[in-house]
Amino acid sequence: MLDPVTRPPGSLALRCSRALLSPWSRLSLLAALLLGAATTVVLYEPQRLLAAGWPPQANGAGAVVLFGLAYGVCTAAFVPRPILNLAAGALFGMQAGLAAALAGTVLGAGISFTLGRLLGQDALRPLLRGRWLTAADGQLSRHEFRSMLAIRLFPGVPFAAANYCAAVSRMGYAPFLLATGLGSIPNTAAYVVAGSQAGSPTSPAFLVSMGFIVVSGLGAAAVAWRKRHGLRARERAGAAPSPAAPAAPSPERPLEPAAAREVR
């Protein structure tokens, strides 16, 4: 009589662990985390706590560090950075507010990049098959620092979207974080200065910062419109039919030489 086949111990647990650690399971976990973060922002509005309800017992350098940590977590949870930058300037002034905002910006970018790299890259990279997606991925992967620096300097690119797109590419941590820190300085400084001078809206510092915000926003909108118009023009040019080629001579009646026609 044949002995029953025995399965190796732990095979069910091994299969379950493989299923839980599969790329699509991790991507589902990332989607759940992002949905939960967005829901938390909508329901509890943590930006109000940072802007108006800051703990009064927190002061000095400890308050700046605590704000930077909270800033990073809030940006990873989709809290708009302009609101946090204005709050940093209103709470701590220009210098300390800028330091806290930049530290929180790098921290929040690092959190989002880590989540996207660990939970989403393996599942999403096989989907990068379109022409534009492949070109964007190649640009981010080959020109890491330069590409991310340009994205950070351009004020119209959403912060969280840039973080997760960079995480799906093959960009390294060091160029991503360094470009984020350097490229975020101009726009962040403008909002921090505006927040610190919000009590005196006629001051030169407030007017200059608001002018920079408006001009940079209009410039970003103009560049985006030109890029979009150029892409549409190229698409229309590529879809237009090519000019018809001259008709080939009919094989039934080949062309006769001129001498034969004269003899006739």
Side-chain angles (χ1 to χ4, degrees):
M1 187 173 180
L2 297 177
D3 296 333
V5 178
T6 58
R7 294 183 179 179
S11 60
L12 179 60
L14 182 60
R15 290 197 299 270
C16 292
S17 63
R18 287 179 178 176
L20 291 176
L21 296 178
S22 65
W24 287 103
S25 297
R26 285 179 287 159
L27 182 62
S28 300
L29 177 59
L30 177 61
L33 290 175
L34 297 181
L35 180 60
T39 304
T40 302
V41 170
V42 173
L43 293 179
Y44 296 100
E45 298 183 357
Q47 63 270 26
R48 289 189 176 183
L49 175 63
L50 294 178
W54 190 250
Q57 63 272 16
N59 49 33
V64 176
V65 173
L66 183 60
F67 183 90
L69 295 175
Y71 186 113
V73 175
C74 288
T75 53
F78 304 104
V79 176
R81 286 184 62 248
I83 297 177
L84 299 176
N85 293 333
L86 292 172
L91 290 171
F92 305 109
M94 295 184 188
Q95 297 180 356
L98 180 60
L102 287 177
T105 297
V106 176
L107 176 61
I111 293 174
S112 302
F113 188 86
T114 302
L115 290 175
R117 178 60 56 88
L118 295 179
L119 300 179
Q121 187 188 44
D122 292 340
L124 294 178
R125 280 204 65 82
L127 303 179
L128 300 177
R129 299 176 181 176
R131 182 176 60 178
W132 300 113
L133 293 178
T134 304
D137 175 68
Q139 182 71 19
L140 290 174
S141 300
R142 289 192 302 268
H143 309 286
E144 302 175 343
F145 177 81
R146 185 176 65 186
S147 300
M148 185 51 57
L149 183 64
I151 289 174
R152 296 307 187 193
L153 290 173
F154 193 78
V157 179
F159 184 73
N163 295 336
Y164 290 108
C165 289
V168 174
S169 71
R170 300 191 185 279
M171 181 179 294
Y173 273 90
F176 171 77
L177 295 178
L178 182 59
T180 296
L182 293 177
S184 301
I185 291 176
N187 193 262
T188 303
Y191 279 96
V192 170
V193 172
S196 65
Q197 300 295 318
S200 53
T202 58
S203 63
F206 181 84
L207 295 177
V208 170
S209 62
M210 291 303 299
F212 177 83
I213 293 172
V214 172
V215 171
S216 62
L218 292 177
V223 171
W225 181 84
R226 289 188 61 183
K227 291 289 184 181
R228 184 178 180 183
H229 183 72
L231 289 176
R232 286 185 174 180
R234 283 196 293 269
E235 289 177 357
R236 287 195 297 266
S242 58
S250 174
E252 299 178 357
R253 186 178 180 182
L255 295 177
E256 297 178 351
R261 290 197 299 269
E262 292 178 357
V263 171
R264 290 184 181 179

